[in-house]
Amino acid sequence: MKATVRAHTNIALIKYWGKRDEDLFLPTNSSLSITLDRFYTETMVHYDHRLSEDVFWLNHVQADQKETNKIRSFLNKVRDLTGEVRSARVESVNHVPTASGFASSASGFAALAGAAVKATGMNLSERELSQVARQGSGSACRSIFGGFVEWQKGTEVNGSDSYAVQLLDQKAWDLRVLAIEVSTEVKKVLSREGMKRTVATSPFYQGWLQAAEADLVTAKKAIAQRSFTLLGETLESNALKMHATTLGADPPFMYWQSTTLSVMEAVQDLRDKGLEAYFTIDAGPNVKVICKPEVEQKLINELSRLDVVKDIYSCQIGPGLRYLEG
């Protein structure tokens, strides 16, 4: 009873920021993302009657008790769903920087959900699997799918209508994402803590919710029309509004660093000079730049000149969940 799954990270164009239910990971607003081909997690789950408790290995090193408990809590949800009673050995390898705003938790829990369910012998639909993945990390529900993906927030208390759906597959619209690394440090305020603090204390939060829903409508229109300018303007504005809510939290906090601002300013300057591109930033200091294929290399050349840039990862739109074994 073993399965291995690969899941890719996703980058939110319309951000998920805040939960209406902490236990079920139900969001306060719907969100929209694109899946990336460059960053992914591969996870093996092996249920074994010889194990007395779950064991978790991350990047070939046995995880500490805190991390293992997070995995065990998620596996308990899978066991409740499937009827599986055995403990599991989980081996996960992240091909993505961890805890720095490159969405490692999204690919991580999507891969874990796929492998944990598959190893029991149960087959779920992609929609059902996205609901399972959501309960490990909200954005993981979007990584079940490739291409452009919407996470519908739903309204039901039990979360039965909160799941991801694919809007366009990975080949439908060829855009590029440059993941600009300016820091490899683990962020001081993790996403879950940051969301909770913002929802509870930021006076800007209700305005964010209203704006996010309107931005989602505009972004879906842009995708349907393949309007890059409309999509870019909307996603950049949405990211700025999300990060503004953290400045109003008590105590306030910021995911940006001075290096983050340098890249943002450079992208805006290059856009003024005719290289159309737009930035977005998740809960971390690193910047993602969305562009068309024909300007990708020019942008890489220009942004590589910035002293603050440690690395640039060129990404295409990526696929959904892939079963490697089991």
Side-chain angles (χ1 to χ4, degrees):
M1 304 297 283
K2 180 168 67 173
T4 303
V5 168
R6 176 185 293 175
H8 292 253
T9 66
N10 68 79
I11 295 299
L13 307 182
I14 304 301
K15 305 300 185 186
Y16 147 55
W17 194 242
K19 302 183 186 76
R20 61 182 172 90
D21 187 303
E22 292 283 338
D23 295 327
L24 294 176
F25 289 74
L26 300 178
T28 52
N29 67 282
S30 298
S31 57
L32 191 154
S33 66
I34 49 176
T35 306
L36 303 182
D37 69 336
R38 182 70 179 264
F39 301 133
Y40 60 91
T41 302
E42 291 182 351
T43 298
M44 183 277 295
V45 174
H46 181 197
Y47 294 108
D48 190 339
H49 69 274
R50 295 170 294 183
L51 292 174
S52 59
E53 62 180 6
D54 296 319
V55 180
F56 177 42
W57 289 69
L58 177 62
N59 296 332
H60 311 294
V61 177
Q62 187 164 0
D64 61 25
Q65 196 60 49
K66 181 180 179 181
E67 290 300 311
T68 301
N69 286 341
K70 285 168 60 177
I71 299 303
R72 180 176 297 119
S73 177
F74 182 77
L75 289 175
N76 284 339
K77 295 177 181 179
V78 174
R79 283 186 279 253
D80 289 343
L81 173 68
T82 63
E84 178 61 63
V85 296
R86 290 168 293 181
S87 295
R89 179 182 177 89
V90 179
E91 297 179 6
S92 189
V93 178
N94 257 343
H95 298 268
V96 51
T98 301
S100 56
F102 280 142
S104 59
S105 63
S107 59
F109 275 100
L112 178 60
V117 171
K118 187 69 172 178
T120 70
M122 177 178 282
N123 292 311
L124 296 181
S125 68
E126 290 178 318
R127 175 180 292 186
E128 292 169 327
L129 198 56
S130 78
Q131 291 179 297
V132 176
R134 187 201 74 219
Q135 296 176 66
S137 171
S139 56
C141 76
R142 300 188 306 243
S143 280
I144 301 299
F145 299 91
F148 291 77
V149 183
E150 179 187 356
W151 175 12
Q152 299 176 347
K153 67 176 182 179
T155 58
E156 295 296 332
V157 174
N158 65 2
S160 61
D161 58 348
S162 182
Y163 46 76
V165 295
Q166 187 183 64
L167 300 178
L168 291 179
D169 67 36
Q170 70 180 106
K171 301 296 184 182
W173 191 10
D174 186 15
L175 298 181
R176 303 298 164 86
V177 177
L178 305 180
I180 314 295
E181 186 176 76
V182 298
S183 174
T184 56
E185 297 177 2
V186 175
K187 56 197 177 189
K188 295 179 181 178
V189 180
L190 297 179
S191 300
R192 294 183 187 184
E193 178 189 344
M195 283 187 191
K196 192 171 183 179
R197 190 189 306 178
T198 303
V199 172
T201 66
S202 179
F204 306 146
Y205 192 71
Q206 288 305 312
W208 152 256
L209 289 180
Q210 295 172 10
E213 292 296 344
D215 288 345
L216 178 67
V217 173
T218 304
K220 290 172 70 173
K221 175 183 176 182
I223 291 168
Q225 297 176 348
R226 307 297 196 272
S227 173
F228 179 66
T229 299
L230 181 59
L231 180 64
E233 291 173 348
T234 305
L235 68 89
E236 190 171 288
S237 172
N238 184 263
L240 292 171
K241 284 179 284 196
M242 186 208 95
H243 284 273
T245 67
T246 71
L247 300 178
D250 185 15
F253 62 100
M254 183 188 300
Y255 288 112
W256 299 351
Q257 299 176 3
S258 60
T259 51
T260 309
L261 287 165
S262 295
V263 175
M264 293 161 60
E265 290 171 352
V267 171
Q268 291 176 327
D269 184 53
L270 289 169
R271 189 163 69 231
D272 290 341
K273 294 177 180 177
L275 285 180
E276 189 177 17
Y278 301 87
F279 63 76
T280 187
I281 308 146
D282 286 332
N286 297 309
V287 183
K288 275 67 67 175
V289 179
I290 291 84
C291 65
K292 293 181 178 180
E294 55 264 31
V295 302
E296 178 184 20
Q297 192 56 53
K298 291 181 180 179
L299 282 167
I300 292 173
N301 294 342
E302 293 292 335
L303 294 172
S304 295
R305 296 174 182 171
L306 298 176
D307 292 339
V308 301
V309 172
K310 295 179 179 294
D311 211 338
I312 297 178
Y313 302 92
S314 177
C315 306
Q316 298 184 38
I317 298 178
L321 211 66
R322 179 183 174 192
Y323 294 93
L324 306 179
E325 178 187 18

